[in-house]
Amino acid sequence: MWDSKTSCTRPFTGLSVRTDGKVKVCCDNNESALDASGQIQSFRNSKLSANEIINSNMRKKLRLALASGIEDPGCSKCWELEEKGGESLRIGWQDRFNSRDNSEAMAMQPDGTIEKPNIELLELSLGNLCNFKCRMCSAQSSTTWIREAEHHGWENPAILQSLKEKSWVEGENFQEFISSALGTAKHLNFYGGEPLLIKKHYEYLKICIDKGQAANMTVAYATNLSHIPDDILEYWRHFKKVYLTVSCDGIGSHYEYIRYPGRWDVFSRNLDKLLKLQQEVPFEFSLGGTIQVLTVTRLLDMLKWYYAKMTGTGLSRIPFYGYVHTPNWLDPRILPQQLKDEAEQKVLQYLDTLLDLSETEQVMAGLLKGQLALMQEPLPLRRGQVLWSMFASRNEKMDRYRSQKLADHVPEIVPYLPKLSSYLGTGVRPETNKQALGIGVKG
């Protein structure tokens, strides 16, 4: 019954909770299950049990589709990436934990129901507390973004107000669920916001330690590495393995432009500290970047820096990259074709010179190639033009609010932008013709 080309453990034993408390299969799946009242499953609105989550109608439908070899549309991000030769979240997760067996499918009833559901993977975004407001982020994932979002008028006022209220994490609905779910969990993934700033996550680590489960569990983080808490090692020591993905989208001032108000000197210092800690705690470390409008033309710089930095550490020298679909005005497909072609060619040529890559590094390189191939997908002409103009407008507003200038950090993009007041800086002559606006799209 099981088809290995679509196999995935997430719909069987995984749970992803977003910063707003809504429940997902995983961070890449775009479908939502409904609770008993017909609302989207969310710990902000209702109490939920493992059975209600794992055996929702949406999940049962998804499991049956995957078991039959059907590429469910809710998992389109994985299918698109795999089609381009990249490694999707589905494949990466199963390879990391050797979970390609069909034990979950064997336990599934004909209608997709799992009789004794257990949540083994908890993927938790415990609110939006964060000290950064990265350009590709929003108030939904960062408290630091709220005031600027209000200034620009980019978010619904009611939503912004709800983000200021008491977090669903503190509510009775989630507290009852998590105390039970931690009893079966094997993997804890913490996202944010910035998880190392969120004190609640220490409670959950301590519960696992006190129950004697930690030695058989893995813990993973996506962190901006703006600080490393002094006491975190005392928690991490108890766990089987710790996985850290450190977010970084450029080097030097380019990093500071995108990951505002982050400072490159602080990031570099904490990265060095983290590498020293590797000798004390069993963890795997990787750099996580994004493929988006503001990073594509500078990918080679970051790749070379990171390869040199990691050489001799025993860790992967190739970063993990995620493709930015939202906000859609940062989707790299809208870039002028010339910039995309030049950037892709430089990266591919550089990767071809790296002849000593480990198996893991080859996987990371393959994932990057898949992301670049996805970037070359054409968009309808009008849509591409609209998004390109939206990028120019929104990026200008951010620059004005933050007293920054695109021309100082990614000047190669500027000549292709439509002229917007005095934004472009001196010495740059903008092009506003159809070719400049729509060169990366199809007619």
Side-chain angles (χ1 to χ4, degrees), residues 408-427:
D408 294 336
H409 305 280
V410 199
E412 59 273 19
I413 290 179
V414 175
Y416 294 92
L417 292 175
K419 187 174 182 179
L420 298 173
S421 61
S422 60
Y423 162 61
L424 298 177
T426 60

Side-chain angles (χ1 to χ4, degrees), residues 365-379:
L367 175 59
L368 175 54
K369 291 176 182 178
Q371 306 277 27
L372 293 175
L374 185 59
M375 173 188 74
Q376 294 288 9
E377 289 269 325
L379 286 170

Side-chain angles (χ1 to χ4, degrees), residues 64-326:
L64 290 172
L66 298 181
S68 301
I70 298 172
E71 295 184 355
D72 189 272
C75 304
S76 59
K77 286 186 179 179
C78 282
W79 312 136
E80 289 174 6
L81 190 53
E82 291 170 21
E83 184 181 357
K84 299 299 179 183
E87 183 187 84
S88 66
L89 183 65
R90 179 185 76 90
I91 294 175
W93 180 259
Q94 294 180 161
D95 283 347
R96 174 184 283 184
F97 296 107
N98 192 28
S99 57
R100 289 180 177 274
D101 63 78
N102 65 350
S103 58
E104 294 90 354
M106 295 285 288
M108 185 171 64
Q109 302 299 313
D111 69 343
T113 297
I114 295 177
E115 189 172 339
K116 297 179 180 180
N118 283 324
I119 294 177
E120 298 183 356
L121 165 65
L122 281 169
E123 196 171 69
L124 304 175
S125 295
L126 299 174
N128 65 334
L129 178 64
C130 186
N131 54 343
F132 283 12
K133 48 178 178 178
C134 303
R135 289 187 176 242
M136 57 284 187
C137 197
S138 70
Q140 297 278 354
S141 297
S142 171
T143 49
T144 309
W145 245 113
I146 292 177
R147 182 175 295 180
E148 184 172 347
E150 288 176 325
H151 174 83
H152 297 314
W154 290 350
E155 297 272 4
N156 184 313
I159 293 177
L160 290 176
Q161 182 58 39
S162 71
L163 294 173
K164 300 176 185 179
E165 297 170 356
K166 183 178 179 181
S167 171
W168 54 270
V169 179
E170 306 289 342
E172 181 182 341
N173 292 342
F174 185 68
Q175 290 307 307
E176 286 188 15
F177 169 81
I178 195 67
S179 60
S180 172
L182 287 174
T184 61
K186 296 180 180 179
H187 311 289
L188 285 177
N189 290 7
F190 292 109
Y191 302 114
E194 169 49 46
L196 292 179
L197 287 176
I198 299 174
K199 294 181 180 179
K200 199 72 179 177
H201 106 273
Y202 292 96
E203 278 187 36
Y204 305 146
L205 295 181
K206 189 174 186 306
I207 290 173
C208 296
I209 294 169
D210 291 345
K211 286 185 175 182
Q213 299 172 229
N216 296 315
M217 295 178 66
T218 68
V219 181
Y221 294 82
T223 173
N224 62 29
L225 206 64
S226 56
H227 79 300
I228 302 175
D230 292 333
D231 59 345
I232 192 66
L233 285 185
E234 297 309 313
Y235 291 88
W236 287 353
R237 293 181 198 279
H238 294 274
F239 288 85
K240 179 180 179 180
K241 194 100 176 197
V242 177
Y243 296 88
L244 297 174
T245 299
V246 175
S247 300
C248 179
D249 294 282
I251 60 176
S253 67
H254 186 220
Y255 166 92
E256 294 176 351
Y257 181 71
I258 296 174
R259 304 193 66 80
Y260 184 87
R263 289 172 44 195
W264 180 248
D265 62 330
V266 173
F267 177 84
S268 299
R269 184 167 62 249
N270 284 339
L271 181 59
D272 290 338
K273 180 180 179 180
L274 193 62
L275 291 174
K276 290 180 181 178
L277 293 178
Q278 185 197 6
Q279 302 170 13
E280 302 180 40
V281 178
F283 69 74
E284 284 190 18
F285 165 90
S286 64
L287 203 72
T290 56
I291 305 295
Q292 51 143 307
V293 168
L294 292 168
T295 63
V296 166
T297 58
R298 299 300 175 99
L299 282 176
L300 183 60
D301 295 338
M302 184 169 152
L303 282 169
K304 287 183 175 180
W305 164 76
Y306 191 65
Y307 185 88
K309 184 76 175 176
M310 291 297 109
T311 295
T313 65
L315 299 171
S316 174
R317 297 164 293 178
I318 305 296
F320 168 85
Y321 285 97
Y323 190 98
V324 173
H325 293 274
T326 55

Side-chain angles (χ1 to χ4, degrees), residues 300-362:
L300 183 60
D301 295 338
M302 184 169 152
L303 282 169
K304 287 183 175 180
W305 164 76
Y306 191 65
Y307 185 88
K309 184 76 175 176
M310 291 297 109
T311 295
T313 65
L315 299 171
S316 174
R317 297 164 293 178
I318 305 296
F320 168 85
Y321 285 97
Y323 190 98
V324 173
H325 293 274
T326 55
N328 54 10
W329 48 270
L330 282 176
D331 187 324
R333 289 179 296 176
I334 70 173
L335 276 168
Q337 193 64 45
Q338 181 178 349
L339 293 181
K340 291 194 294 185
D341 290 345
E342 289 176 354
E344 182 180 36
Q345 183 179 22
K346 289 177 181 178
V347 169
L348 294 180
Q349 287 178 346
Y350 174 69
L351 291 176
D352 285 343
T353 68
L354 305 179
L355 304 179
D356 62 340
L357 296 183
S358 67
E359 184 175 344
T360 297
E361 291 169 337
Q362 290 177 35

